[in-house]
Amino acid sequence: MEALITIILSSIIVVISYSLFATISNQLNSLVKENGKELQYNLMNMSLLRDVNKAIDFIYNEPNLILYNYDDTIIEYHFLTKGIVRNTNVSIDTFKIGVEKQSLQIQKKRISLLSLKIIFLKSNINANYVLESSLSKTLNRKFFYEN
């Protein structure tokens, strides 16, 4: 009789500890997935902000954004519903962040506003980025018909 009670109590302890372990494991897995998505968003946001601030000129053809730098490097962004692709001369980066809607609004002659509606963690983020063409590029286009 004592052996039966010991076996029943030990099996209850094993079941409780297994349930607790499974619950903690599921919580940690969901936390890792959420942090991975946050990391993807932060990397994309930092890259896009840096590239937009360094760019001297841009071309926007939905869903593509092409940024030109002083050192003649070209950075292309492709905004897709499944993710964002960043293509440079050196590498191709893929961010698993869906873009539901994008638009470019011209604020002034040289300044435009790129609006992205990003699907992130089951919610929508409206991100705005200010794009500015350099004054020298604008003058060269107007008076010398250069690209």
Side-chain angles (χ1 to χ4, degrees), residues 18-31:
Y18 177 75
S19 299
L20 183 64
F21 177 74
T23 303
I24 290 173
S25 176
N26 287 339
Q27 289 295 324
L28 288 177
N29 285 337
S30 66
L31 184 66

Side-chain angles (χ1 to χ4, degrees), residues 33-83:
K33 286 180 184 177
E34 186 175 313
N35 283 341
K37 289 182 181 181
E38 287 178 12
L39 178 65
Q40 286 280 319
Y41 175 76
N42 288 334
L43 285 172
M44 183 277 307
N45 191 37
M46 281 181 26
S47 297
L48 189 56
L49 282 173
R50 183 186 64 232
D51 294 340
V52 163
N53 287 330
K54 282 178 50 179
I56 60 168
D57 199 13
F58 65 93
I59 295 174
Y60 178 75
N61 293 325
E62 189 173 325
N64 302 323
L65 173 67
I66 302 170
L67 301 169
Y68 297 97
N69 292 331
Y70 274 115
D71 58 359
D72 292 331
T73 56
I74 298 172
I75 301 172
E76 297 179 33
Y77 280 90
H78 307 283
F79 302 109
L80 309 170
T81 55
K82 297 274 184 185

Side-chain angles (χ1 to χ4, degrees), residues 56-58 70 108-111 132-147:
I56 60 168
D57 199 13
F58 65 93
Y70 274 115
K108 296 181 182 175
K109 288 187 180 188
R110 292 181 13 240
I111 299 174
E132 183 175 1
S133 294
S134 71
L135 183 58
S136 61
K137 280 282 187 185
T138 306
L139 289 174
N140 285 343
R141 256 198 227 116
K142 184 163 181 132
F143 294 111
F144 302 112
Y145 306 105
E146 292 183 0
N147 289 335

